[in-house]
Amino acid sequence: MEEILKKKLSEKDYAKIEKIGNPEVDKFITKYIELCNPDSVFVCTDSKEDIKYIRDAAVKNGEEHKMAIDGHTYHFDNYLDQARDKAHTAILVPKGVELGESIDTKDRDEGLKDVMEILKDSMKGHEMYVRFFCLGPTNSKFSIPALQLTDSAFVAHNEDLLYRQGYEEFVRQGKNAKIFKFIHSQGELDERKTCKNLDKRRIYIDTEENTVYSANTQYGGNSIGLKKLAMRLAIKRGSKEGWLTEHMLLMGVHGPKGRVTYFTGAFPSACGKTSTAMLDGETIVGDDISYLKKINGEIIGVNVERGMFGIIQGINSKDDPIQWKALNNPREIILSNVLITEDKKAHWIGKNGDVPAKGINHSGDWFVGKKDAKDKEIKCSHPNARFTMSLDTLENCDKNIHSPEGVTVSGIVYGGRDSDTCVPVEESLSWTHGIVMKGAALESETTAATLGQEGVREFNPMSNLDFLPIPIGEYIKNNIEFENGLKKVPPIFGVNYFLVDKETGKFLNEKTDKKVWYKWMELRANKEVEVIETPTGKIPKYEDLKPLFKSVLGKDYSPEAYNKQFMIRVKESLSKIDRIKKIYETKVKDAPKVLLETLEAQRKRLLEAQAKHGDYILPEKFVAGGSCGCSCCGH
Ligand code: SPV
Ligand code: MN
């Protein structure tokens, strides 16, 4: 082992590994040097000089290119490698283990054999980068050391912006570290430096060995080990140890008199999670993944990451002023799969200004009206085009982002794309009601681009379905039981930014209206406003929203708008219960009994209300009350 490392590594790099003194690290690096056969190996510590080496390598290797704005670079993934590849992603399971039909698995022995063959000699002609990171803040109860091997400087550079440097954490934890390990090879590249052998794309997660394998792909969600790949390992570890890993933003919502109340929020991809975390006037801790632990009777959350890999489509100066500013000023940033014009500037769908006539994008040379092989128009950028940047230097970065103690979570939010069922914001009746009706029953419509047209609803419990390495029933049970032992149970809210007016086909809310929902939830989490209790949950009173719309957005909020947005849609709500119940009865093994009971109790409440008031019920038909949170005393 020592011999192989000494042969491939410079003396300086060998010393870096030796200093860690963890045989598991030595073994992993040695194994993949032997198997993947890179021309050279570079070991990166937390030093500025090492990190610069990676940044420069991405440009030198042609994986990234400099742009007109200082510090900005662009990268293209293969035209067919633009998103998470669910078809080639699997959890490796030993014989006899079943996770249920909604989770893709593969026999562990077969999977390992398959990927080892693919990885063999895959780094010939490439350099291997050895990177040490820390998931969660360093020096904390949450810290998980993560070791990444990759032959893509683009991947290693992304991770620099997205994760906390962890070399010193590896040294600190030494032999005791319970590490996560990632091996990625982009394999053979074409002349555009994108992956050539997409048929051999593989993403295999081995929770037995805390290792993830990724090959022949560059798209971040498939290749950046520490993102969604590490998430699977962490969910598994947490389920054994009694903590949660959630597909959740973490943000400080700023209330009256300087009060900051922290919220987590889960939304399926492309449903406004990043734009929520970046709300103007609030502070961001994280926009994608949170670890949650119960400490001294409170839920404590940390951002697993330190940067964002955000969707760029739709970012404009009005709706997303902070991201807009970051994207238009010098700073370290990587743009993937956007349009690049001759003057090395970027354009994307939904950006301010006219679409340039031509440029280069993920499809190669591009011009307005260009069509793909299936005669479908290629837009200037891919809908999943992304940008990577660190949060630390943003003006809205929360001061506790790196706190080893994390932040106390006082509210939890779930939301999806829903054109016709749920109200814009609603507090659940209890923890279990929230976990079941807002989290486990979460659905999202696949298309919202075409207004008025109903999209296809996809079931996505807690927006975490794609990342579960344990059966759905067990995962939901973990969430329901997470309430046990809490001194103060945070309220759970459901939000819906995507309600559509049936008559006009237009959204019932503007994108910026969500600012008001968060201010209201902040007041509610502190029991400073009353609610109206409906069969689906507790909704805001018009009298409380009106002044918030005025002070936050300078908008006059009419009773008509309120009624349209907050009327209870009984028919649609009942259909949702039917859909969700069917899934849990037929597709999910071991769904907790209380989940089905909670669905049935909601059906009963809805049917009673329907008998009295009909299919569409205005808020005024229900009773207001309960600033103390109960539904009986009415104060
Ligand atoms: C998501 O799709 O939820 C993302 C981007 O955050 S990815 O890394 O592809 O998962
Ligand atoms: Mn995500």
Side-chain angles (χ1 to χ4, degrees):
M1 197 153 79
E2 208 179 309
E3 231 169 81
I4 293 166
L5 285 180
K6 278 192 169 152
K7 200 172 120 204
K8 280 276 177 174
L9 268 53
S10 69
E11 222 170 282
K12 202 171 153 200
D13 280 3
Y14 182 80
K16 294 174 187 170
I17 306 267
E18 212 180 14
K19 188 173 167 199
I20 292 172
N22 183 334
E24 194 185 349
V25 170
D26 303 352
K27 213 170 124 195
F28 191 71
I29 300 173
T30 309
K31 177 169 174 181
Y32 291 101
I33 288 179
E34 271 196 294
L35 182 72
C36 303
N37 199 10
D39 284 7
S40 58
V41 181
F42 176 74
V43 179
C44 186
T45 67
D46 304 348
S47 78
K48 279 204 175 114
E49 180 195 344
D50 283 2
I51 293 164
K52 181 174 183 304
Y53 181 92
I54 301 283
R55 195 164 49 232
D56 292 347
V59 174
K60 197 178 90 206
N61 299 350
E63 293 178 71
E64 289 174 33
H65 306 271
K66 292 193 174 175
M67 299 179 60
I69 305 179
D70 207 27
H72 292 211
T73 52
Y74 68 88
H75 162 89
F76 295 123
D77 299 314
N78 186 298
Y79 187 67
L80 301 171
D81 188 27
Q82 296 286 320
R84 279 188 273 114
D85 178 14
K86 294 195 208 179
H88 293 99
T89 302
I91 309 285
L92 300 182
V93 288
K95 293 203 170 36
V97 173
E98 272 182 44
L99 301 184
E101 68 173 89
S102 308
I103 299 176
D104 292 315
T105 58
K106 189 169 176 72
D107 176 79
R108 184 166 181 267
D109 296 335
E110 279 173 32
L112 288 177
K113 188 166 171 276
D114 177 32
V115 78
M116 292 305 160
E117 272 164 28
I118 287 175
L119 285 173
K120 190 162 171 40
D121 291 324
S122 63
M123 294 191 186
K124 248 187 182 164
H126 299 178
E127 181 159 58
M128 176 195 272
Y129 305 101
V130 179
R131 306 272 349 226
F132 302 94
F133 293 104
C134 182
L135 294 161
T138 54
N139 225 330
S140 150
K141 280 188 185 160
F142 291 89
S143 312
I144 299 179
L147 170 58
Q148 171 86 61
L149 312 182
T150 176
D151 58 356
S152 165
F154 162 70
V155 167
H157 182 202
N158 263 285
E159 288 183 328
D160 246 345
L161 296 168
L162 290 172
Y163 301 95
R164 298 170 180 100
Q165 300 303 328
Y167 178 76
E168 293 305 330
E169 184 69 26
F170 268 80
V171 173
R172 185 176 81 82
Q173 297 200 16
K175 278 196 192 67
N176 300 327
K178 285 164 68 188
I179 62 181
F180 286 170
K181 294 163 286 187
F182 305 91
I183 167 78
H184 166 254
S185 173
Q186 52 190 355
E188 251 186 291
L189 301 177
D190 59 19
E191 65 291 347
R192 299 188 80 214
K193 300 289 176 195
T194 74
C195 292
K196 218 171 169 176
N197 304 317
L198 294 182
D199 56 323
K200 294 210 170 66
R201 191 161 42 176
R202 297 288 184 276
I203 301 107
Y204 289 160
I205 297 108
D206 180 15
T207 57
E208 303 280 303
E209 295 273 345
N210 283 311
T211 301
V212 183
Y213 305 88
S214 165
N216 295 303
T217 174
Q218 287 166 318
Y219 170 69
N222 301 323
S223 64
I224 300 171
L226 282 78
K227 206 171 202 10
K228 294 309 195 314
L229 313 185
M231 199 169 160
R232 276 96 161 185
L233 302 180
I235 292 173
K236 176 82 178 193
R237 184 178 284 182
S239 83
K240 284 193 209 147
E241 298 178 353
W243 51 276
L244 301 175
T245 300
E246 295 299 318
H247 192 199
M248 282 179 167
L249 63 81
L250 185 52
M251 67 193 286
V253 182
H254 292 238
K257 299 193 187 132
R259 179 178 65 206
V260 183
T261 308
Y262 289 96
F263 280 76
T264 58
F267 299 76
S269 309
C271 287
K273 184 143 62 76
T274 298
S275 66
T276 302
M278 290 292 283
L279 275 182
D280 197 8
E282 318 299 0
T283 48
I284 180 168
V285 182
D287 84 324
D288 200 32
I289 309 168
S290 299
Y291 292 157
L292 305 177
K293 290 194 177 184
K294 276 185 287 191
I295 300 175
N296 298 330
E298 291 190 322
I299 298 182
I300 305 293
V302 297
N303 180 8
V304 172
E305 314 179 284
R306 72 160 187 126
M308 67 165 64
F309 180 57
I311 292 184
I312 202 165
Q313 173 167 323
I315 292 187
N316 62 61
S317 56
K318 176 175 171 276
D319 294 328
D320 302 282
I322 305 170
Q323 281 149 293
W324 175 258
K325 204 165 139 193
L327 286 164
N328 284 286
N329 281 289
R331 59 158 40 244
E332 198 174 339
I333 206 161
I334 310 169
L335 303 178
S336 309
N337 307 316
V338 297
L339 180 72
I340 305 294
T341 47
E342 214 172 354
D343 52 0
K344 298 280 181 255
K345 291 194 175 141
H347 199 86
W348 55 84
I349 304 168
K351 186 184 174 184
N352 303 25
D354 296 333
V355 180
K358 61 185 175 57
I360 50 168
N361 72 1
H362 56 296
S363 74
D365 286 328
W366 180 86
F367 47 89
V368 173
K370 184 176 177 182
K371 302 222 165 117
D372 68 10
K374 289 184 184 145
D375 216 30
K376 200 174 147 233
E377 189 185 338
I378 302 173
K379 295 271 178 63
C380 65
S381 61
H382 191 275
N384 195 31
R386 301 248 169 189
F387 63 99
T388 312
M389 67 181 182
S390 294
L391 302 175
D392 313 61
T393 52
L394 291 174
E395 62 203 78
N396 60 328
C397 184
D398 193 271
K399 65 178 191 319
N400 291 318
I401 183 169
H402 298 305
S403 162
E405 275 81 45
V407 297
T408 301
V409 175
S410 302
I412 295 171
V413 182
Y414 292 101
R417 249 171 221 270
D418 164 9
S419 60
D420 65 5
T421 308
C422 298
V423 296
V425 61
E426 174 177 60
E427 182 185 334
S428 57
L429 302 172
S430 66
W431 174 272
T432 300
H433 179 250
I435 293 293
V436 173
M437 294 310 310
K438 308 299 175 204
L442 196 66
E443 295 172 293
S444 201
E445 289 159 17
T446 47
T447 59
T450 36
L451 289 189
Q453 195 185 320
E454 213 184 64
V456 183
R457 287 188 180 91
E458 277 186 347
F459 163 70
N460 193 349
M462 279 77 166
S463 85
N464 222 352
L465 181 62
D466 289 353
F467 315 115
L468 292 183
I470 57 174
I472 298 175
E474 184 182 333
Y475 168 69
I476 289 167
K477 189 164 155 277
N478 291 345
N479 266 271
I480 291 174
E481 289 176 356
F482 202 60
E483 180 192 17
N484 300 341
L486 289 179
K487 278 194 243 152
K488 195 176 155 211
V489 180
I492 297 179
F493 299 91
V495 296
N496 180 13
Y497 307 153
F498 300 96
L499 257 186
V500 166
D501 188 335
K502 272 204 177 129
E503 283 152 33
T504 62
K506 292 207 173 105
F507 285 122
L508 275 172
N509 290 103
E510 282 193 75
K511 242 175 141 179
T512 45
D513 287 358
K514 56 167 112 44
K515 283 189 187 181
V516 171
W517 312 147
Y518 285 82
K519 293 295 191 207
W520 180 80
M521 287 189 278
E522 198 277 338
L523 294 173
R524 187 61 203 154
N526 291 287
K527 300 273 186 285
E528 288 182 5
V529 279
E530 293 191 338
V531 286
I532 300 172
E533 189 164 324
T534 80
T536 56
K538 302 174 200 174
I539 61 171
K541 288 165 71 180
Y542 172 71
E543 300 83 80
D544 293 322
L545 292 181
K546 186 178 157 68
L548 284 175
F549 265 95
K550 194 72 190 172
S551 62
V552 177
L553 299 172
K555 261 171 60 170
D556 290 321
Y557 188 55
S558 70
E560 292 75 34
Y562 170 77
N563 279 339
K564 267 193 179 173
Q565 292 162 15
F566 286 91
M567 79 182 160
I568 302 303
R569 294 153 171 85
V570 179
K571 252 170 65 182
E572 287 82 354
S573 300
L574 286 168
S575 308
K576 181 177 167 86
I577 293 176
D578 289 340
R579 286 193 303 274
I580 299 298
K581 190 160 180 240
K582 191 162 167 214
I583 294 173
Y584 280 101
E585 279 178 341
T586 60
K587 294 197 170 177
V588 175
K589 224 178 72 177
D590 302 329
K593 205 166 134 250
V594 65
L595 183 146
L596 297 169
E597 288 165 1
T598 306
L599 285 166
E600 278 313 319
Q602 179 136 326
R603 187 202 306 277
K604 192 162 161 266
R605 286 192 301 273
L606 282 163
L607 288 172
E608 277 168 18
Q610 190 183 40
K612 268 199 220 155
H613 308 293
D615 281 337
Y616 298 95
I617 314 177
L618 294 181
E620 68 200 26
K621 300 284 183 201
F622 301 105
V623 191
S627 66
C628 64
C630 80
S631 59
C632 52
C633 62
H635 60 93

